[in-house]
């Protein structure tokens, strides 16, 4: 079938735009496939929503469309957003006409993206996403026009206090600066980037550089595809200078901040390198990641063990464990990295303890997928927009539909792992495991071959029940001599860790942070948490780039 995709996109968008502008709910919904999705990022409400099917979409728009005052719907013809015709995903035969658009709404300017599929003789939107791009009066301003102000003014009276100076906190701070919102970042480490420097030396990002760009600052073409630990640390430290951010290192909020409902601000005491400073920000953004304090299992007779036990967060490289018998508890990304690093540095033996199943895909396969999502020729914000326009619920269905194809693609890797006693899980792909659990998977960059060759052995389906002086005893009664036990057992929820800062009375009002709700939207991140003035920012680089602006929408006219 010959497809005049520019005409199809233009005709559909004109019709859809007219219906939006006229406030005609039924006609607007008719432009969407019966099984399609409407994703709303702060256009119709001060929240992120994803509606599936005509009835839910109509009910939602019936309450919100008129007040949104959509107008001036126009195609966005930037590279990557001009109409295109091709497969909806790499693995599905379903083809779609996709493109971007711009519009105005009651509170500012918006951008959108659609994917149209052909059904019953008509082109309908399988997905249409509308997001608030700029709040009127708080538009991003060009760097040359940024009001430098005085650092002392920001430090004395920040509008927003950001807890955490990693990539998420810095992306959020850079976004706020461009939107004219004064923010102060507090970081517990002595230097920005120490959250990377303190980890094992061979650590590198598992996703390509384009996906891991910082806001307003892309990497040079000579940058490694997978960014090493120390380069990432140095990049973050330099980012503070190049973006002119206000950061206090060696600083942390003290228990317990209080919130004045009438005045709509916090009172929080910050320990700044031993000096106590009282601040009254309107908002606090916790950008310390989705993971909180290290989780160490309580195992019987640990005090009897004459060897070394440590959490993976305390692991600084395998060099000091050369010649040692090492047990790594866990079978996710970190456990795989550590097992590979220990083998490289000459550990006498490395045993990975796997309690349940793990989803494994080769790093090369995932690199191909990620580089298709973030090709070098497109701007990062264009790639972010298109990524945002793919509801997680839809991607779950894609994962399920393409599971057999993925398993076939990885069959040699999986066969070798299974033969070595490793449990490969199925039924949930990387995206689902990442967003629902933030665990249960690894991207393979060599550990699978070490397991297949016997250089790393697997103890599967058990946990450590107790220690002896020189061994660990498992729940099945077997034992293993060991000199070192490394617990790659993840971390507690950031909500639990923050109870030590905010107290139970505040945190009891906060819903879950991370995981997904019934519409497939992230819970608790970049959206209302349940307590006024308290927000969480977490996830990969994409989330903090794409959704940091949405925080300001949630602030709801913060500076007015």
């Amino acid at each position: 079938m010959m497809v005049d995709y520019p005409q199809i996109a233009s005709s559909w968008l004109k019709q859809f735009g007219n219906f939006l502008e006229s406030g005609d709910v039924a006609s607007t919904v008719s432009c969407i496939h019966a099984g399609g999705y409407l994703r709303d990022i702060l256009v119709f409400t001060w929240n992120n929503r994803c509606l599936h099917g005509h009835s839910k979409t109509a009910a939602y728009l019936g309450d919100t469309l008129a007040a949104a005052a959509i107008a001036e719907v126009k195609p966005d013809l930037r590279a990557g957003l001009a109409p295109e015709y091709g497969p909806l995903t790499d693995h599905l035969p379903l083809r779609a006409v996709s493109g971007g658009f711009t519009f105005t709404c009651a509170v500012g300017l918006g951008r959108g993206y659609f994917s149209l599929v052909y059904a019953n003789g008509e082109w309908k939107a399988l997905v249409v996403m509308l997001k608030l791009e700029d709040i009127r009066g708080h538009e991003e301003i060009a760097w040359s026009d940024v009001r430098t102000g005085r650092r002392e003014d920001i430090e004395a009276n920040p509008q927003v206090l950001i807890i955490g100076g990693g990539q998420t906190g810095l992306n959020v701070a850079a976004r706020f600066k461009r939107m004219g919102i004064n923010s102060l970042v507090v970081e517990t480490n002595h230097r920005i980037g120490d959250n990377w420097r303190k980890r094992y030396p061979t650590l590198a990002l598992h996703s390509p550089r384009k996906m891991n760009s910082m806001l307003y600052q892309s990497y040079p073409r000579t940058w490694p595809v997978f960014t090493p630990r120390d380069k990432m640390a140095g990049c973050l430290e330099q980012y503070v200078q190049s973006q002119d951010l206000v950061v206090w290192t060696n600083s942390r909020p003290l228990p317990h901040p209080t919130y004045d409902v009438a005045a709509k601000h916090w009172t929080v005491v910050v320990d700044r390198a031993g000096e106590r400073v009282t601040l009254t920000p309107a908002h606090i953004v916790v950008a310390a990641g989705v993971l909180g304090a290290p989780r160490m299992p309580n195992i019987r007779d640990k005090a009897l063990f004459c060897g070394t036990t440590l959490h993976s967060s305390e692991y600084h490289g395998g060099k000091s464990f050369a010649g040692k018998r090492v047990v790594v508890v866990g079978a996710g990304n970190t456990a795989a990295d550590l097992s590979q690093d220990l083998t490289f540095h000459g550990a006498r033996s490395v045993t990975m303890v796997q309690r349940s199943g793990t989803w494994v895909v080769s790093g090369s396969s995932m690199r191909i997928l990620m580089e298709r999502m973030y090709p070098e020729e497109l701007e990062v914000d264009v790639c972010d927009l298109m990524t945002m326009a793919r509801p997680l619920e839809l991607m779950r269905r894609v994962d399920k539909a393409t599971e057999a194809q993925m398993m076939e693609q990885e069959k040699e890797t999986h066969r070798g792992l299974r033969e070595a006693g490793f449990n490969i899980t199925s039924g949930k792909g990387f995206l689902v495991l990442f967003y629902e659990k933030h665990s249960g998977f690894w991207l393979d960059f060599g550990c699978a071959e070490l397991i297949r060759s016997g250089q790393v052995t697997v103890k599967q389906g058990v946990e450590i029940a107790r220690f002896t002086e020189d061994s660990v005893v498992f729940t099945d009664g077997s034992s293993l001599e060991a000199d070192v036990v490394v617990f790659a057992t993840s971390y507690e929820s950031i909500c639990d860790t923050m109870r030590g800062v905010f107290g139970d009375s505040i945190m009891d009002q906060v819903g879950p942070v991370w995981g997904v709700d019934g519409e497939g939207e992230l819970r608790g991140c970049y959206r209302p948490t349940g307590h006024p003035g308290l927000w969480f920012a977490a996830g990969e680089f994409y989330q903090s780039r794409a959704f940091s602006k949405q925080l300001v929408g949630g602030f709801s006219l913060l500076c007015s």
Side-chain angles (χ1 to χ4, degrees):
M1 177 176 69
M2 294 293 293
V3 177
D4 185 356
Y5 57 87
Q7 177 57 37
I8 291 168
S10 175
S11 177
W12 180 89
L13 183 61
K14 182 177 180 180
Q15 186 180 52
F16 183 65
N18 287 339
F19 293 148
L20 285 172
E21 293 180 24
S22 67
D24 187 337
V25 172
S27 297
T28 298
V29 172
S30 74
C31 294
I32 302 173
H33 189 279
Y37 298 82
L38 171 72
R39 192 172 191 198
D40 167 34
I41 310 294
L42 304 183
V43 174
F44 299 103
T45 68
W46 290 116
N47 209 333
N48 300 338
R49 298 292 304 275
C50 186
L51 294 310
H52 180 214
H54 279 182
S55 60
K56 291 181 179 179
T57 303
Y60 182 64
L61 293 180
D63 295 332
T64 59
L65 180 56
I70 305 294
E72 301 181 52
V73 178
K74 301 175 181 177
D76 188 340
L77 300 179
R78 290 183 296 165
L81 297 179
E84 293 184 348
Y85 179 63
L88 188 65
T89 74
D90 290 338
H91 300 295
L92 284 182
L94 183 65
R95 300 179 74 81
V97 173
S98 301
F101 59 97
T102 62
F103 58 92
T104 64
C105 61
V107 295
L109 305 177
R111 292 193 184 278
Y113 192 82
F114 59 83
S115 292
L116 313 178
V117 294
Y118 191 70
N120 300 321
E122 295 182 287
W123 289 90
K124 302 282 189 179
L126 180 63
V127 178
V128 58
M129 185 269 293
L130 297 90
K131 64 171 287 237
L132 183 62
E133 182 73 6
D134 282 309
I135 299 174
R136 197 169 288 111
H138 296 286
E139 297 87 352
E140 291 191 57
I141 48 181
W143 181 255
S144 59
D145 297 328
V146 170
R147 294 171 293 174
T148 57
R150 290 174 54 189
R151 182 185 179 97
E152 292 81 3
D153 290 340
I154 297 175
E155 292 179 323
N157 188 31
Q159 295 165 297
V160 183
L161 178 67
I162 300 173
I163 301 174
Q167 61 268 18
T168 296
L170 298 183
N171 269 337
V172 170
R175 178 76 79 184
F176 288 177
K177 181 177 178 62
R178 288 286 288 270
M179 298 181 75
I181 296 172
N182 292 335
S183 63
L184 169 65
V185 179
V186 293
E187 166 58 42
T188 187
N189 286 306
H190 291 283
R191 291 173 62 190
I192 290 295
D194 277 354
N195 59 323
W196 288 87
R197 293 186 191 93
K198 290 181 177 180
R199 302 183 70 184
Y200 49 97
T202 56
L203 174 67
L205 292 174
H206 286 175
S207 48
R209 60 174 176 249
K210 186 71 174 282
M211 292 193 75
N212 302 320
S213 299
M214 299 293 287
L215 267 172
Y216 318 119
Q217 193 165 307
S218 298
Y219 299 121
R221 289 294 184 100
T222 54
W223 197 265
V225 173
F226 300 106
T227 306
R229 179 197 75 170
D230 290 338
K231 285 189 76 68
M232 192 70 249
C235 169
L236 295 180
E237 194 165 41
Q238 183 270 339
Y239 188 77
V240 171
Q241 300 302 317
S242 64
Q243 298 297 321
D244 196 25
L245 305 180
V246 181
V247 177
W248 290 353
T249 55
N250 197 23
S251 301
R252 61 195 58 78
L254 296 174
H256 291 106
T258 59
Y259 185 75
D260 187 323
V261 176
K264 297 184 178 180
H265 70 71
W266 293 89
T267 298
V268 54
V269 178
V270 174
D271 177 346
R272 185 186 184 188
E275 177 188 359
R276 294 193 172 200
V277 181
T278 300
L279 303 171
T280 56
H283 297 269
I284 296 177
V285 177
V286 178
V290 64
L291 304 176
R295 180 182 289 129
M296 283 285 281
N298 185 18
I299 297 176
R300 203 176 81 195
D301 297 331
K302 184 178 177 181
L304 292 178
F305 187 55
C306 296
T308 300
T309 62
L310 69 157
H311 189 267
S312 57
S313 60
E314 305 169 287
Y315 179 88
H316 301 304
K319 189 174 182 180
S320 59
F321 301 133
K324 303 288 187 181
R325 298 165 298 185
V326 185
V327 175
V328 178
V329 181
N333 252 333
T334 299
D337 281 354
L338 267 56
S339 297
Q340 192 168 347
D341 185 63
L342 286 159
T343 304
F344 175 78
H345 283 99
R348 178 177 168 185
S349 66
V350 179
T351 302
M352 180 186 291
V353 180
Q354 183 194 30
R355 183 179 62 179
S356 55
T358 306
W359 185 88
V360 179
V361 66
S362 66
S364 58
S365 295
M366 190 56 65
R367 176 182 174 180
I368 291 171
L369 173 61
M370 291 177 176
E371 288 184 339
R372 284 176 180 167
M373 294 171 62
Y374 283 78
E376 289 292 339
E377 64 270 17
L378 295 184
E379 296 293 330
V380 172
D381 68 316
V382 170
C383 299
D384 284 345
L385 181 72
M386 292 190 288
T387 300
M388 185 184 285
R390 295 288 183 261
L392 182 60
E393 178 60 31
L394 175 62
M395 300 318 296
R396 279 176 173 158
R397 297 183 177 202
V398 170
D399 273 352
K400 192 67 178 175
T402 59
E403 181 182 351
Q405 184 177 348
M406 177 64 75
M407 298 295 280
E408 174 66 20
Q409 184 175 307
E410 302 294 332
K411 67 178 182 180
E412 287 304 311
T413 296
H414 291 176
R415 180 179 62 81
L417 287 170
R418 287 193 179 98
E419 289 175 353
F422 191 90
N423 183 9
I424 297 289
T425 191
S426 61
K428 289 188 177 182
F430 168 74
L431 285 174
V432 173
L433 288 168
F434 176 76
Y435 282 109
E436 289 186 351
K437 299 175 58 179
H438 213 273
S439 63
F441 59 86
W442 98 53
L443 305 183
D444 182 56
F445 288 87
C447 188
E449 179 56 36
L450 295 177
I451 291 174
R452 182 157 64 173
S453 66
Q455 296 178 75
V456 173
T457 58
V458 176
K459 183 72 175 176
Q460 205 282 320
V462 298
E463 300 179 66
I464 297 178
R466 62 184 177 89
F467 285 93
T468 71
E469 291 184 354
D470 59 358
S471 69
V472 294
V473 180
F474 298 103
T475 49
D476 64 355
S478 63
S479 63
L480 184 67
E481 292 183 341
D483 304 303
V484 181
V485 179
V486 183
F487 290 94
T489 45
S490 192
Y491 300 78
E492 68 182 24
S493 165
I494 188 64
C495 289
D496 293 332
T497 299
M498 285 296 112
R499 287 183 179 273
V501 176
F502 291 96
D504 290 340
S505 62
I506 288 177
M507 292 307 299
D508 283 346
Q509 299 177 51
V510 174
V513 174
W514 207 253
V516 294
D517 63 18
E519 296 176 354
E521 294 294 330
L522 270 179
R523 297 185 298 183
C525 298
Y526 308 99
R527 60 192 302 193
T529 61
H531 189 284
L534 180 59
W535 309 83
F536 284 82
E540 297 298 303
F541 289 74
Y542 153 69
Q543 273 89 20
S544 58
R545 285 194 312 263
F547 287 97
S548 51
K549 184 177 290 187
Q550 316 318 122
L551 275 173
V552 183
F555 290 175
S556 196
L557 304 180
L558 167 67
C559 303
S560 62

